[in-house]
Amino acid sequence: MAGSPVFLCALAPLNQFLFDTFGWRGSFFILGAMLLNCCVAGALFRPIGAPPKQIQKQTDKELNVPSKDDITKGGTAEKVNSQVVSLVAGKDQQEKQDCCQKINKFIDLSLFKHRGFLIYLVGNIIMFFGFFAPIVFLAPYAKHLGIDEYSAAFLLSILAIVDMIARPGTGLIANTKWIRPRIQYFFSFSVAFNGVCHLLCPLATGYSGLVVYAVFFGLAFGMVCALLFETLMDLVGAQRFSSAVGLVTIIECCPVLLGPPLGGALVDAFDDYKYMYYVCGAVMLFAGLFLFIMNFYNYRMLEKEEKQRQYKEVEMKNAEDLPKAEEGNIKDKDDEENERPSIEEGDIEKHETKLSQT
């Protein structure tokens, strides 16, 4: 994920150059043609391993299962025995079940019953309302303060350079033994850190202050981007991760789409950018506090559930051991009762021998 800031470093001054040379229409055409190369790169992706149809054909050959066309032909249906027909019928039923389960295969709707996933989803929806608007309006805000266009565009390059360094660094810190068990708290801190940066941004009245803001904003932005999907995998696990990413991405499109227009509406309403930064900072800070409190609750509930599970396991083991102990006690009593008569008979024989000697 550290590759996107590399292009953003060059994109900010390039976009300003294209806008000055070709206008906004020509610059959009050029940028759109550049982004079309992503479609070519995506078309070259291939799944790892053999495709499922090829695997199914191999299993059919191993089982000697004929196809449906062979069965429906005139003379072949008589040659097929009852076992092969049952296999084909079972195969048809399996295909029907697979069609019904396709939705759950790609999008696991049972994730909406997952407590940690719901906390993550609600927190991210709140966060994304104020996540992208500060980047969109950073250069216009600098121009509003009287800074030239290329210097204002260079602020995005500074942000991207810091972001590029912050993402792998955050990943290394998150994988340490101190942070990894409680990585949700680290993500909550990074979101709240973004909010604090936006709240302090209006204090910058010159270019040097905006450079300092761009540095800290790039650090906070890189922290969030590095932990965004790492925390999701920590919550739902690797098996349900792809489905969780799909659901989160679909739902998060609405706040991502609405955030910058709402920020622009605030700028138009107050004719100043600082109120937009205040609102975005408050939203991000609220999202970070929400995630921190709810993750604390989630960790407590998980510990409680784990203790209950261990307690139930101990009870089950004790319940299994009790019948064995009772059987062992019964066997010991039976052995003692069997030994007692033999001892008494031996004492009687000894007593009789003593009497005979006397």
Side-chain angles (χ1 to χ4, degrees):
M1 294 182 67
S4 57
V6 176
F7 185 68
L8 183 60
C9 294
L11 182 62
L14 176 63
N15 192 20
Q16 187 64 42
F17 172 76
L18 292 175
F19 180 76
D20 294 338
T21 306
F22 302 100
W24 69 270
R25 293 179 185 273
S27 60
F28 269 101
F29 275 121
I30 295 171
L31 292 174
M34 293 171 63
L35 290 175
L36 280 175
N37 293 304
C38 297
C39 299
V40 179
L44 296 175
F45 286 164
R46 291 293 181 271
I48 299 174
K53 291 183 179 179
Q54 185 177 357
I55 297 172
Q56 189 175 3
K57 289 180 181 179
Q58 291 177 358
T59 54
D60 291 342
K61 289 180 180 180
E62 292 175 357
L63 294 172
N64 294 323
V65 177
S67 63
K68 294 180 181 179
D69 296 333
D70 294 336
I71 294 174
T72 54
K73 287 181 182 179
T76 55
E78 297 177 356
K79 298 179 181 179
V80 178
N81 55 19
S82 60
Q83 294 180 354
V84 177
V85 172
S86 63
L87 286 172
V88 175
K91 182 182 175 183
D92 293 335
Q93 292 178 357
Q94 186 177 2
E95 288 178 357
K96 292 179 181 178
Q97 292 177 357
D98 292 338
C99 292
C100 296
Q101 294 175 354
K102 278 184 178 179
I103 297 176
N104 288 330
K105 182 179 179 181
F106 293 102
I107 299 177
D108 189 5
L109 298 178
S110 64
L111 285 168
F112 288 107
K113 299 179 181 179
H114 194 284
R115 182 177 59 247
F117 176 77
L118 291 176
I119 294 170
Y120 175 88
L121 183 62
V122 174
N124 280 16
I125 290 173
I126 299 171
M127 177 190 72
F128 276 112
F129 274 106
F131 190 62
F132 289 106
I135 299 177
V136 175
F137 292 101
L138 179 58
Y141 179 47
K143 295 176 186 177
H144 179 73
L145 295 177
I147 299 169
D148 63 283
E149 295 178 349
Y150 283 94
S151 298
F154 188 67
L155 291 173
L156 293 175
S157 299
I158 296 172
L159 187 149
I161 292 170
V162 178
D163 181 18
M164 181 174 55
I165 300 171
R167 293 194 187 196
T170 303
L172 292 174
I173 295 172
N175 286 325
T176 58
K177 61 181 180 179
W178 299 282
I179 304 297
R180 186 66 187 178
R182 293 292 184 267
I183 194 173
Q184 303 296 331
Y185 293 149
F186 192 32
F187 178 65
S188 304
F189 166 76
S190 63
V191 175
F193 183 44
N194 268 272
V196 173
C197 290
H198 301 329
L199 289 173
L200 297 178
C201 177
L203 299 178
T205 56
Y207 186 70
S208 58
L210 289 177
V211 169
V212 175
Y213 166 73
V215 170
F216 282 97
F217 181 31
L219 177 62
F221 189 83
M223 290 173 64
V224 172
C225 292
L227 299 172
L228 191 62
F229 295 121
E230 186 69 21
T231 52
L232 181 60
M233 182 177 286
D234 179 71
L235 288 170
V236 301
Q239 294 181 351
R240 307 172 73 183
F241 175 69
S242 58
S243 182
V245 169
L247 285 173
V248 168
T249 306
I250 292 170
I251 298 171
E252 286 175 354
C253 288
C254 294
V256 170
L257 182 63
L258 295 175
L262 291 175
L266 288 173
V267 174
D268 294 337
F270 295 98
D271 196 19
D272 199 345
Y273 288 90
K274 64 181 181 180
Y275 296 104
M276 185 273 301
Y277 278 95
Y278 284 144
V279 173
C280 290
V283 169
M284 295 286 290
L285 185 60
F286 175 76
L289 294 176
F290 171 81
L291 288 170
F292 184 85
I293 295 170
M294 295 306 295
N295 283 320
F296 176 77
Y297 168 76
N298 187 34
Y299 278 129
R300 284 297 183 90
M301 293 299 295
L302 289 174
E303 290 177 357
K304 185 178 179 180
E305 291 170 359
E306 182 66 20
K307 289 180 180 179
Q308 290 178 354
R309 186 184 63 81
Q310 292 177 356
Y311 181 72
K312 288 180 180 179
E313 289 180 355
V314 171
E315 285 185 345
M316 291 177 64
K317 288 181 180 179
N318 293 332
E320 291 177 356
D321 293 338
L322 280 174
K324 294 180 180 178
E326 291 177 355
E327 290 178 0
N329 293 330
I330 293 170
K331 288 181 180 179
D332 293 337
K333 290 179 180 179
D334 293 337
D335 293 337
E336 290 178 358
E337 290 177 357
N338 293 329
E339 289 176 358
R340 284 177 184 174
S342 61
I343 294 170
E344 291 176 356
E345 290 175 359
D347 293 336
I348 293 169
E349 291 178 356
K350 289 179 180 180
H351 185 66
E352 290 178 352
T353 52
K354 287 181 180 179
L355 290 173
S356 60
Q357 289 176 359
T358 53

